[in-house]
Amino acid sequence: MITFLSVASKKEENNLMRESVREQAALRTDEMWKFHMFEQISRTEEFLKDIPVLDIISWDVTMNHSVGSLEKVRQDYKQAYLMVVADGSISPMMYLRPGIMPSSLLLKPVSRENLVMVVNEMMDAFTEKFDRKDVQESFVIESREGKQYIPLSQIYYIEAREKKIFIRTKQEEYGFYDTIENMEKKLPENFLRCHRSYIVNMSKVTAVKLSQSLIEIQNELQVPLSRSYKKTVKEYNKK
């Protein structure tokens, strides 16, 4: 599944964006697409509080407080493909800067012809990025619904239960068939086995409580720490 977020000043622009992306996606991929469309910055910010997984973002920087909000959002979504929508009323210096790093630019007023051209470029770049075998920023889950790309930076822990693997992000959980042993081999070194059923992203750890056999993670999450893995966790913390 590929998740698309669009923030536009008008509903008609969002509808045109969704229609164009769907048309081009149907020609290129069998993946399922999920769309989140907003016309208000405040509602967008509320939606993003839980840091949902996003693959592509289209953001209109002509809206009030839009640039500042986008810069904050970009901190959580550095790996997402970002299409900036702008016009002559705003200086390019406002959005062509390191804190935003747009992947492409769409100029208003938006015509169907221009939108199709930019969406085509976006789809080419996006599919090329995730078709590469050397992509290191995301974990890929493959299922009958297609591929789900989960940024490694958004994974809190991995749990084995009910003969499946579950990846936990801030508010979501993704289940698929694999083994905890295979997951250890696939993930980078900051993901540590801490229990027979758990692997934790050490970059999300806020406290290791050896006496209680617990690891505390951001957002008040906890995972167990078994005796056999305490030494590994302690040595990692000494690095």
Side-chain angles (χ1 to χ4, degrees), residues 25-178:
L27 298 174
R28 299 163 183 267
T29 178
D30 295 328
E31 305 292 337
M32 293 183 64
W33 285 66
K34 187 175 183 179
F35 292 87
H36 301 285
M37 320 298 281
F38 296 94
E39 290 86 43
Q40 297 177 9
I41 296 298
S42 58
R43 291 190 61 192
T44 308
E45 291 175 338
E46 186 65 28
F47 167 73
L48 292 173
K49 281 183 178 179
D50 290 334
I51 316 182
V53 172
L54 297 175
D55 298 300
I56 302 174
I57 301 171
S58 172
W59 196 285
D60 188 341
V61 295
T62 67
M63 302 165 68
N64 289 336
H65 310 297
S66 183
V67 174
S69 182
L70 175 57
E71 194 160 17
K72 294 177 183 177
V73 169
R74 197 58 162 150
Q75 294 175 12
D76 291 322
Y77 294 98
K78 291 183 176 68
Q79 310 306 329
Y81 186 99
L82 173 62
M83 178 196 302
V84 165
V85 182
D87 64 15
S89 68
I90 180 169
S91 168
M93 298 299 291
M94 295 295 292
Y95 52 84
L96 295 178
R97 60 192 197 204
I100 293 180
M101 298 180 296
S103 309
S104 63
L105 176 64
L106 176 64
L107 294 176
K108 300 173 71 173
V110 177
S111 67
R112 182 177 291 274
E113 181 181 1
N114 287 340
L115 181 57
V116 168
M117 181 180 69
V118 175
V119 168
N120 266 323
E121 292 174 353
M122 177 194 75
M123 296 296 290
D124 283 342
F126 180 78
T127 53
E128 180 183 353
K129 175 181 178 181
F130 285 105
D131 280 345
R132 292 201 313 264
K133 293 182 179 179
D134 60 343
V135 172
Q136 298 295 321
E137 300 91 354
S138 299
F139 186 86
V140 184
I141 299 173
E142 297 191 48
S143 66
R144 287 177 294 181
E145 290 75 29
K147 296 179 182 178
Q148 174 74 59
Y149 302 97
I150 305 177
L152 295 174
S153 61
Q154 291 184 223
I155 297 176
Y156 283 68
Y157 63 82
I158 294 94
E159 180 185 3
R161 71 173 191 270
E162 301 166 0
K163 299 181 179 179
K164 294 178 71 175
I165 292 294
F166 293 87
I167 288 181
R168 175 65 188 267
T169 62
K170 185 176 181 181
Q171 292 290 340
E172 297 179 270
E173 193 174 66
Y174 301 87
F176 56 99
Y177 289 100
D178 206 332

Side-chain angles (χ1 to χ4, degrees), residues 180-201:
I180 199 78
E181 288 76 20
N182 281 340
M183 293 297 293
E184 275 191 285
K185 298 174 184 177
K186 295 176 182 178
L187 292 165
E189 63 178 10
N190 59 301
F191 285 82
L192 283 190
R193 184 84 172 264
C194 61
H195 185 273
R196 65 176 183 176
S197 301
Y198 287 86
I199 297 173
V200 64
N201 182 355

